[in-house]
Amino acid sequence: MSPFPSISLHLNTLFFISSSQMFSNSDEAVINKKLPKELLLRIFSFLDVVTLCRCAQVSRSWNVLALDGSNWQRIDLFDFQRDIEGRVVENISKRCGGFLRKLSLRGCLGVGDSALRTFSQNCRNIELLSLNGCTKITDSTCNSLSKFCPKLKHLDLASCTSITNLSLKALSEGCPLLEQLNISWCDQVTKDGIQALVRCCPGLKGLFLKGCTQLEDEALKHIGAHCPELVTLNLQTCSQITDEGLITICRGCHHLQSLCVSGCANITDAILHALGLNCPRLRILEVARCSQLTDVGFTTLARNCHELEKMDLEECVQITDGTLIQLSIHCPHLQVLSLSHCELITDDGIRHLGSGPCAHDRLEVIELDNCPLITDASLEHLKTCHSLDRIELYDCQQITRAGIKRLRTHLPNIKVHAYFAPVTPPPSVGGSRQRFCRCCILL
């Protein structure tokens, strides 16, 4: 508990008093005489970047306090200014020095290797760094981080498309404490980079490899062999991977809680069996567009992974009500379920889901887009799901406005997304042709 529990409640008042009543270049303002600098510095530590910069303009003494490096341990420029130049990062690094622990430069397109080299040299205690979307950076930045930032734990390089295997090799040599790495859409990375990384970073808990299209099963075998602490793995659209590589992951990463393999069309029920037998802590599974998965695999999964909270089964076109029956029985913590384009699902499956242990207090989102067999009866089965916040019903042609209205009498705050085709075209006004949607009207 903070020794100053009411500080955050009075920050606005403090700034108002100082700026409206005592704004001057004099350091003899009442607040500066009444409060010791240590306490003012502590107060400033609660402020964000924008407020610190404003406080720095109040007086000379506040300028010194606001720009003290100890107040700049966590900086996120995303909501502040994204078109910054490299010199701004260099100035920040000089001000913060060894105090800085967390920095987000997400979307800062003007920041390149030179600025990040200066940053790495000055901020050697950095633990979390986001360079998501900083498209100018290359392997040179990772070399700098490797050389100067041994305490780095979380690094986000998503969409930094110039990154290659050389970056992963550099990070493996200089950042052994790395726990989470995001190299999504870095499509030059291959198994050689993954192998170098995982051999020297045994504490990896999160790997985000979405869109790394060159990765094959061999890369997954290295992960399975060297990352026993892995909790989160995202392989979305890594279309070359198959059951062989993923089974190795399941057998080597027993702590796995979140797996995304959406768009990996080659996988089969063998993966669901491997997850059920090896990863009982699984909470999130995303297998959208994995059309070879069936009720048989999901039965094994549900019977063994009782902590499942979120499942994306969109376009798993072979599953039927049988999968929903198993989930309703064995997965009491289910919160989010996407069944869009699962065209074999019927009202009976929703009935079982609506009467299962997750329904009353857990289920928050259910997506049923393009499930043609779903009728208003399904909405009746869901009316006792008191936590249900959103339901998707696009192109469910047997759902009616009346059915949705009845659902809302039980769940008045629910967000229902659905389309209905107009009965007749709306009349034009004034003789000129107006642009109307020919197929649907948003409810």
Side-chain angles (χ1 to χ4, degrees):
M1 184 174 179
S2 170
F4 312 105
S6 62
I7 284 178
S8 59
L9 298 177
H10 298 292
L11 289 175
N12 291 333
T13 304
L14 175 63
F15 180 72
F16 175 77
I17 291 174
S18 62
S19 58
S20 62
Q21 298 180 7
M22 307 173 192
F23 187 88
S24 70
N25 289 326
S26 172
D27 286 345
E28 298 304 316
V30 174
I31 195 169
N32 295 330
K33 291 190 291 185
K34 292 293 185 181
L35 294 180
K37 289 184 178 180
E38 292 79 10
L39 182 54
L40 283 170
L41 194 62
R42 175 63 172 163
I43 293 173
F44 282 13
S45 71
F46 288 87
L47 303 179
D48 58 25
V49 172
V50 177
T51 311
L52 282 170
C53 290
R54 289 173 179 168
C55 288
Q57 300 175 59
V58 170
S59 68
R60 283 192 295 268
S61 62
W62 276 36
N63 181 277
V64 173
L65 292 170
L67 299 183
D68 188 276
S70 63
N71 292 322
W72 297 72
Q73 297 183 42
R74 298 172 296 277
I75 304 174
D76 187 344
L77 296 180
F78 186 75
D79 295 323
F80 176 50
Q81 185 175 348
R82 275 171 273 176
D83 57 348
I84 66 170
E85 299 176 359
R87 62 181 179 81
V88 176
V89 175
E90 294 179 2
N91 291 338
I92 288 175
S93 72
K94 292 173 184 177
R95 175 178 301 134
C96 301
F99 287 107
L100 190 61
R101 297 292 189 276
K102 300 179 181 180
L103 174 65
S104 175
L105 298 174
R106 180 165 55 110
C108 295
L109 301 179
V111 177
D113 292 329
S114 177
L116 286 165
R117 178 174 177 81
T118 301
F119 163 81
S120 301
Q121 291 173 329
N122 290 325
C123 302
R124 303 191 180 205
N125 292 319
I126 191 73
E127 296 177 3
L128 186 152
L129 178 62
S130 175
L131 301 174
N132 190 318
C134 298
T135 53
K136 283 188 177 181
I137 71 168
T138 70
D139 293 329
S140 177
T141 286
C142 289
N143 285 329
S144 298
L145 293 172
S146 172
K147 186 174 181 180
F148 300 111
C149 303
K151 297 182 180 180
L152 192 62
K153 294 181 179 180
H154 293 231
L155 178 61
D156 188 347
L157 298 170
S159 299
C160 299
T161 53
S162 296
I163 294 298
T164 73
N165 290 336
L166 295 177
S167 285
L168 301 193
K169 291 176 181 177
L171 292 171
S172 70
E173 294 168 359
C175 304
L177 302 181
L178 204 61
E179 294 180 0
Q180 183 167 299
L181 178 65
N182 188 344
I183 51 171
S184 295
W185 310 113
C186 298
D187 55 7
Q188 297 188 60
V189 171
T190 70
K191 62 179 177 62
D192 294 333
I194 298 297
Q195 180 181 14
L197 177 75
V198 299
R199 283 187 171 180
C200 296
C201 299
L204 277 169
K205 296 180 180 179
L207 267 177
F208 299 84
L209 308 174
K210 179 180 180 180
C212 294
T213 52
Q214 293 198 57
L215 296 185
E216 302 172 333
D217 289 334
E218 197 65 30
L220 303 193
K221 291 179 182 179
H222 293 307
I223 296 172
H226 297 285
C227 299
E229 302 300 318
L230 195 67
V231 173
T232 302
L233 179 62
N234 190 318
L235 296 166
Q236 182 174 337
T237 69
C238 296
S239 55
Q240 297 192 60
I241 66 174
T242 71
D243 293 343
E244 184 180 359
L246 282 171
I247 289 173
T248 305
I249 294 285
C250 296
R251 290 175 176 171
C253 307
H254 298 294
H255 298 295
L256 196 66
Q257 294 183 20
S258 176
L259 175 65
C260 177
V261 287
S262 294
C264 301
N266 295 321
I267 67 173
T268 72
D269 284 342
I271 298 307
L272 302 181
H273 287 292
L275 285 169
L277 296 176
N278 296 281
C279 304
R281 300 182 185 180
L282 193 67
R283 296 178 183 272
I284 300 173
L285 178 64
E286 300 179 27
V287 288
R289 303 182 301 285
C290 297
S291 57
Q292 298 189 59
L293 303 180
T294 73
D295 292 337
V296 176
F298 283 111
T299 296
T300 301
L301 181 78
R303 290 178 176 178
N304 292 278
C305 297
H306 305 304
E307 297 183 21
L308 281 165
E309 296 176 357
K310 176 183 177 181
M311 298 185 71
D312 184 353
L313 311 184
E314 181 175 350
E315 292 188 40
C316 291
V317 294
Q318 295 194 54
I319 66 171
T320 72
D321 294 337
T323 289
L324 298 192
I325 292 171
Q326 295 300 320
L327 292 177
S328 69
I329 296 172
H330 300 292
C331 301
H333 303 292
L334 200 60
Q335 298 176 15
V336 179
L337 179 62
S338 176
L339 299 167
S340 300
H341 295 273
C342 296
E343 298 185 356
L344 302 180
I345 298 296
T346 75
D347 294 333
D348 191 54
I350 302 301
R351 178 176 65 83
H352 282 89
L353 190 67
S355 61
C358 71
H360 295 154
D361 301 316
R362 296 281 186 168
L363 194 62
E364 298 176 0
V365 176
I366 183 165
E367 299 177 356
L368 297 169
D369 306 329
N370 293 277
C371 292
L373 303 181
I374 294 297
T375 74
D376 288 347
S378 285
L379 305 187
E380 291 294 318
H381 298 320
L382 294 172
K383 67 184 181 182
T384 58
C385 300
H386 302 299
S387 295
L388 199 59
D389 177 68
R390 175 169 60 88
I391 183 169
E392 305 283 340
L393 297 167
Y394 297 117
D395 294 320
C396 294
Q397 298 183 16
Q398 298 192 66
I399 296 292
T400 69
R401 287 187 175 90
I404 292 173
K405 185 176 181 179
R406 287 193 296 271
L407 177 65
R408 282 193 166 127
T409 61
H410 297 277
L411 304 171
N413 297 319
I414 191 172
K415 302 178 185 69
V416 181
H417 297 159
Y419 284 110
F420 292 96
V423 178
T424 58
S428 59
V429 178
S432 61
R433 183 177 179 181
Q434 296 189 10
R435 299 178 65 183
F436 293 102
C437 175
R438 294 184 177 183
C439 58
C440 54
I441 299 173
L442 179 62
L443 178 67

